[in-house]
Amino acid sequence: MAFFSKDLGIDLGTIYTQIAEGGQVILREPTVVAIAVDEQKIVEVGLAAKDMYGRVPESLEVAYPLINGVIADYEVAEKLLEHMIGKISGSLRIFRPRVMVSVPYGVTSVESRAVHEAALEAVKRDVFLIQQPMAAALGVDLPFHTPSGNMIICLGGGATQAAVLAMYGIVSAQTLRAGGLALDEAIINYVRRKYGLVIAQPTAEQVKISIGAAVPQDEEESLELQGQDQVTGLPRPFNLTTGEVVEAMEGPLMDIAETARQVLEKTPPELISDIIDRGIALCGGTALLRGIDKLLTKELGVPAYLVDNPTTCVAEGASLALDPSVFPKIRRNLPPV
């Protein structure tokens, strides 16, 4: 039966959900659904629903079922998973896939059970959970099967996780329930304070991606945008520069650095020397922010580097975790369900 069924790894993220098979991502969709309010029925899922955000009448609601990396709306998350797995497997598939779903480190038993049950309803077969830092370490091929220390920071949209791994397990870790969305929010607040204008989250995200940076850049870039005047409610153009975006995001970025510093403080000294030699691996969508590796290197005193597959490594690692050569070794360190 294993020959006919698939082993899938699912990275259930706040912004994007990715599904991988055999270490390759086969589906990537925004974690968004559009719901018809009166019927309480899902009308669109993924990219089509994301395009509707902020542009729908009152009869429709665009919802993100995950907040800060954990399920906030169980029924919607279940339907979303069902839709995505059905897209891969086909609705009439006889042999259902085994699934490994990633969860943030340190989630409560209630939060992890919500993920487990939502996936179980969607696949009706074996579902296992894995902490995101461990899945990411498998996905980027960190040698954490040895007694030496490896550190990884997962910079997601809704949560930031820093972890030190050794001997197929997590030695010390911490989760900050803020990530890329907190950076967007910081840009929105900065524009409101400085220019008296209101911009939406997708615009703030566009600013962050286009001209954003974690540290001041040699070359200053600027972007012309439209904002809504707080007093008149009318649109008004304005310019934002890279320097302003760096200033706007300083607070949340310092929180991220502080989370990593606290993990290093809790790490045994034997492992710290290995981490200094090997550096800190950075993954997740927020790791693509220019200069974030330089900022963390400066703040932590340990070299930080961006991995080759920062946005896909969690899903890829989750699928590799079901490999018969890996699963028995990591099973004792997986979260109980």
Side-chain angles (χ1 to χ4, degrees), residues 9 25 67 158 179 196 202 244 260-261 279 299 303:
V25 170
I67 294 173
E244 289 176 303
R261 188 183 289 115
E299 291 296 322

Side-chain angles (χ1 to χ4, degrees), residues 42 65-66 70-81 110-122:
I42 292 173
L66 272 84
V70 296
I71 289 180
D73 191 323
Y74 172 79
E75 285 178 20
V76 173
E78 184 197 310
K79 290 278 184 291
L80 181 87
L81 279 173
V110 173
E111 289 164 341
S112 60
R113 202 175 302 122
V115 175
H116 185 257
E117 286 175 10
L120 209 53
E121 280 298 314

Side-chain angles (χ1 to χ4, degrees), residues 48-198:
K50 190 187 180 191
D51 290 343
M52 293 179 176
Y53 187 76
R55 302 164 188 264
V56 292
E58 286 181 5
S59 58
L60 290 175
E61 182 195 352
V62 178
Y64 282 79
L66 272 84
I67 294 173
N68 299 135
V70 296
I71 289 180
D73 191 323
Y74 172 79
E75 285 178 20
V76 173
E78 184 197 310
K79 290 278 184 291
L80 181 87
L81 279 173
E82 215 168 278
H83 168 84
M84 290 187 173
I85 290 164
K87 227 174 176 181
I88 294 164
S89 305
S91 54
L92 299 173
R93 193 172 181 85
I94 303 162
F95 301 109
R96 298 240 166 213
R98 283 196 317 162
V99 168
M100 181 73 79
V101 189
S102 70
V103 292
Y105 174 84
V107 293
T108 66
S109 57
V110 173
E111 289 164 341
S112 60
R113 202 175 302 122
V115 175
H116 185 257
E117 286 175 10
L120 209 53
E121 280 298 314
V123 298
K124 309 277 194 297
R125 204 183 160 206
D126 299 348
V127 174
F128 305 96
L129 300 182
I130 184 169
Q131 295 100 332
Q132 278 165 7
M134 194 189 289
L138 283 167
V140 302
D141 203 19
L142 283 187
F144 74 107
H145 55 282
T146 63
S148 55
N150 299 269
M151 185 167 180
I152 192 160
I153 303 177
C154 302
L155 299 149
T160 299
Q161 300 160 74
V164 173
L165 302 103
M167 291 307 292
Y168 287 111
I170 293 173
V171 179
S172 63
Q174 195 155 315
T175 299
L176 171 71
R177 296 215 172 176
L181 287 174
L183 298 177
D184 299 344
E185 197 59 42
I187 294 168
I188 291 168
N189 292 338
Y190 181 87
V191 170
R192 188 185 288 126
R193 277 197 319 270
K194 186 167 180 181
Y195 295 100
L197 295 170
V198 179

Side-chain angles (χ1 to χ4, degrees), residues 174-325:
Q174 195 155 315
T175 299
L176 171 71
R177 296 215 172 176
L181 287 174
L183 298 177
D184 299 344
E185 197 59 42
I187 294 168
I188 291 168
N189 292 338
Y190 181 87
V191 170
R192 188 185 288 126
R193 277 197 319 270
K194 186 167 180 181
Y195 295 100
L197 295 170
V198 179
I199 58 170
Q201 185 270 328
T203 307
E205 187 182 24
Q206 180 202 341
V207 167
K208 181 180 71 181
I209 293 166
S210 305
I211 62 166
V215 292
Q217 300 291 300
D218 298 335
E219 202 176 309
E220 189 84 334
E221 293 178 80
S222 70
L223 194 64
E224 189 171 320
L225 300 155
Q226 293 284 343
Q228 186 180 24
D229 193 294
Q230 273 185 294
V231 180
T232 65
L234 297 173
R236 182 152 60 85
F238 70 105
N239 267 327
L240 261 190
T241 64
T242 302
E244 289 176 303
V245 180
V246 171
E247 187 188 333
M249 298 192 297
E250 188 180 352
L253 287 171
M254 284 301 120
D255 293 343
I256 288 170
E258 183 55 33
T259 302
R261 188 183 289 115
Q262 287 170 9
V263 171
L264 284 168
E265 284 169 4
K266 292 188 291 185
T267 302
E270 293 84 355
L271 298 179
I272 290 282
S273 57
D274 299 330
I275 293 164
I276 292 167
D277 291 343
R278 289 185 177 160
I280 300 169
L282 304 179
C283 68
T286 308
L288 298 172
L289 181 67
R290 279 184 302 169
I292 198 162
D293 51 345
K294 291 187 179 72
L295 178 79
L296 290 171
T297 300
K298 177 171 161 271
E299 291 296 322
L300 303 173
V302 180
Y305 65 93
L306 183 66
V307 300
D308 293 336
N309 52 344
T311 56
T312 58
C313 61
V314 174
E316 290 164 359
S319 68
L320 294 171
L322 285 166
D323 189 281
S325 64

Side-chain angles (χ1 to χ4, degrees), residues 18-37:
Q18 300 182 86
I19 301 181
E21 183 186 8
Q24 295 289 318
V25 170
I26 52 176
L27 183 75
R28 183 175 194 259
E29 288 255 13
T31 313
V32 195
V33 293
I35 302 162
V37 178

